[in-house]
């Protein structure tokens, strides 16, 4: 049984996801805000993610029969009420005392999917409980970072499976932190009472010789390679998706090794700066993997029109990131649920005004020529 989250009142005047940002900022420390809001280096990719969705124009059809339309999609063989999932974001007790516990309840209430971060600050079983208890809840997946300790990873996989998670999402684009200047300027560090509670134990210390690089001689030999992807495929019965593949050749290699699908991402602009925006990465990856491989996309999703554009560019579903953390900080589980509801309503409006009865009607023809391709 998962404990109940704190139910708070919503701030006044919430018309869209952006309206959560100001009340969230008032509740969050400067250091935590820098951690959440900042990107890598000059934050070129961070800004480009949002700008790319804004630059795409819709080209609607009219006078179509849209009665009894819906937002349902199929993902990993399961029909979902809508294509919106909550992205994995670490240490959410930085932003609200309930942290990830609030996400489980909000996602279940709005029939949204949830990908829980390996660096969650609440035990995975507590987060999973409300999702498992609600038959209408969306998919429940677990995001992994590789740790160079196969016994630890094996035990973690068994725990993830026992808790009821239905897929694994291995992050492959961030073997080290990006150069995040906002965090470095403010001296961000985790408070003593917040940690990755599902990753017990200590990492092995680096064993460096004089003159060796802590990154290339210490950390990178421990990072995941294709060998670890193969190992995960054999060690767990759960479908495996890779988060952070941006090159078509890597996507084809992953499929050849039995990977199920991909999250198209640039890590929210937090890893390698100057990567293309995800709206530009999505179409060539869809072309590379074909029509049937599950593709999800994140990065800058703020409006229902963004969701519709993502589907038109080839995504099966989208991940919502920073905006739901703003909602969490502003008013806990109720805030996250309300943010999801706002985005779902905006998606329905965008579909109706674009002549889309279902999301299967959203293809390249829905986009004004010149959209990213």
């Amino acid at each position: 049984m998962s404990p109940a989250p704190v139910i708070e009142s919503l701030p006044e005047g919430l018309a869209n996801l952006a309206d959560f940002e100001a009340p969230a900022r008032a509740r969050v420390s400067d250091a935590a805000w820098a951690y959440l809001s900042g990107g890598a280096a000059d934050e070129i990719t961070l800004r480009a993610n949002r700008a790319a969705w804004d630059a795409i124009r819709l080209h609607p059809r009219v006078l179509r029969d849209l009665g009894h339309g819906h937002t349902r999609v199929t993902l990993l063989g399961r029909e979902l009420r809508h294509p919106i999932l909550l992205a994995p974001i670490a240490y959410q007790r930085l932003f609200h005392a309930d942290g990830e516990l609030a996400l489980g309840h909000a996602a279940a209430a709005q029939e949204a999917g949830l990908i829980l971060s390996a660096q969650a600050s609440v035990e995975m079983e507590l987060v999973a409980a409300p999702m498992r208890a609600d038959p209408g809840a969306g998919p429940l997946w677990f995001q992994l970072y590789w740790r160079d300790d196969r016994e630890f990873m094996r035990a973690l996989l068994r725990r993830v499976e026992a808790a009821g998670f239905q897929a694994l999402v291995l992050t492959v684009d961030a073997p080290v932190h990006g150069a995040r200047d906002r965090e470095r300027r403010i001296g961000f560090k985790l408070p003593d009472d917040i940690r990755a509670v599902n990753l017990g134990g200590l990492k092995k210390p680096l064993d460096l010789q004089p003159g060796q690089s802590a990154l290339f001689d210490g950390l990178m030999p421990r990072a995941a390679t294709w060998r670890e992807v193969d190992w995960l495929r054999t060690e767990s019965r759960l479908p495996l998706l890779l988060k952070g593949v941006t090159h078509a050749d890597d996507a084809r290699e992953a499929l050849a090794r039995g990977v199920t699908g991909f999250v198209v991402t640039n890590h929210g602009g937090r890893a390698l700066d100057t990567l293309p925006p995800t709206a530009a990465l999505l179409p060539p990856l869809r072309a590379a993997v074909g029509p049937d491989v599950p593709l999800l996309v994140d990065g800058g999703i703020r409006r229902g029109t963004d969701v519709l554009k993502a589907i038109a560019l080839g995504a099966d579903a989208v991940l919502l990131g920073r905006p739901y953390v703003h909602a969490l900080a502003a008013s806990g589980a109720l805030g996250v649920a309300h943010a999801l509801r706002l985005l779902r309503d905006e998606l329905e409006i965008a579909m109706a005004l674009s002549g889309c009865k279902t999301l299967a009607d959203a293809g390249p023809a829905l986009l004004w020529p010149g959209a990213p391709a």
Side-chain angles (χ1 to χ4, degrees):
M1 177 70 68
S2 178
V6 174
I7 301 300
E8 305 178 32
S9 60
L10 292 169
E12 295 182 356
L14 296 175
N16 58 53
L17 298 189
D19 289 337
F20 284 99
E21 187 166 350
R25 182 64 188 93
R27 289 184 163 205
V28 172
S29 71
D30 291 345
W33 194 257
Y35 172 79
L36 173 65
S37 303
D42 297 310
E43 300 186 344
I44 292 166
T45 296
L46 175 66
R47 294 189 297 274
N49 275 344
R50 179 64 238 149
W53 297 116
D54 285 342
I56 299 171
R57 300 291 185 260
L58 293 169
H59 196 190
R61 300 294 302 273
V62 298
L63 298 176
R64 291 181 164 183
D65 180 2
L66 303 184
H68 309 293
H70 61 78
T71 61
R72 294 192 294 274
V73 296
T74 299
L75 191 62
L76 297 189
R78 176 181 172 184
E79 187 177 82
L80 313 183
R81 290 290 296 275
H82 60 84
I84 302 166
L85 292 81
L86 299 180
I89 296 178
Y91 306 121
Q92 294 197 33
R93 287 188 57 242
L94 283 168
F95 312 107
H96 191 278
D98 286 335
E100 293 85 358
L101 174 65
L103 304 189
H105 287 272
Q110 291 297 330
E111 301 172 301
L114 168 60
I115 307 178
L116 184 67
S117 171
Q119 296 176 328
S121 51
V122 174
E123 289 82 359
M124 67 174 77
E125 293 82 2
L126 298 180
V127 181
M131 299 284 286
R132 296 181 68 177
D134 189 334
L140 178 63
W141 299 352
F142 192 88
Q143 176 266 336
L144 292 168
Y145 285 105
W146 180 258
R147 182 179 286 189
D148 188 26
D149 181 339
R150 295 200 175 192
E151 287 307 310
F152 169 84
M153 292 297 294
R154 186 175 287 113
L156 180 64
L157 292 175
R158 299 292 86 78
R159 184 179 171 194
V160 167
E161 293 169 359
F165 289 85
Q166 300 143 10
L168 302 173
V169 180
L170 176 67
T171 294
V172 297
D173 65 337
V176 296
H177 289 305
R180 300 202 287 259
D181 293 351
R182 289 201 218 185
E183 292 178 35
R184 297 193 291 186
R185 289 191 186 105
I186 206 164
F188 172 79
K189 65 176 184 178
L190 285 175
D192 292 340
D193 63 336
I194 296 177
R195 61 185 180 87
V197 297
N198 298 302
L199 300 179
L202 299 175
K203 295 181 181 179
K204 300 175 185 176
L206 299 182
D207 183 17
L208 297 174
Q209 302 301 313
Q212 287 189 316
S213 162
L215 195 157
F216 284 110
D217 298 306
L219 294 175
M220 295 313 296
R222 302 180 179 189
T225 68
W226 291 114
R227 290 189 303 272
E228 284 66 45
V229 171
D230 293 340
W231 185 87
L232 286 169
R233 286 276 298 113
T234 59
E235 282 293 325
S236 177
R237 60 178 176 77
L238 298 179
L240 175 64
L241 295 89
L242 300 187
K243 181 177 181 288
V245 169
T246 61
H247 199 288
D249 288 347
D250 289 335
R252 285 186 281 263
E253 175 79 8
L255 292 177
R257 292 172 179 269
V259 167
T260 302
F262 304 93
V263 176
V264 181
T265 182
N266 51 38
H267 218 85
R270 292 167 58 81
L272 177 63
D273 199 19
T274 72
L275 275 174
T278 51
L281 291 169
L282 179 56
L285 280 175
R286 173 53 78 195
V289 303
D292 300 323
V293 173
L295 283 188
L296 297 88
V297 68
D298 67 11
I301 301 291
R302 299 291 184 272
R303 286 285 192 175
T305 47
D306 300 337
V307 180
L308 187 59
K309 293 170 187 179
I311 301 297
L313 289 173
D316 295 294
V318 305
L319 304 185
L320 186 63
R322 290 179 178 95
Y324 85 73
V325 183
H326 297 158
L328 172 69
S331 47
L334 183 59
V336 179
H338 190 60
L340 285 166
R341 183 72 255 180
L342 287 172
L343 195 59
R344 289 179 63 183
D345 289 347
E346 285 190 4
L347 173 60
E348 291 187 357
I349 292 168
M351 291 172 63
L353 294 177
S354 296
C356 295
K357 184 172 185 175
T358 73
L359 290 171
D361 297 328
L366 183 62
L367 306 177
W368 186 258

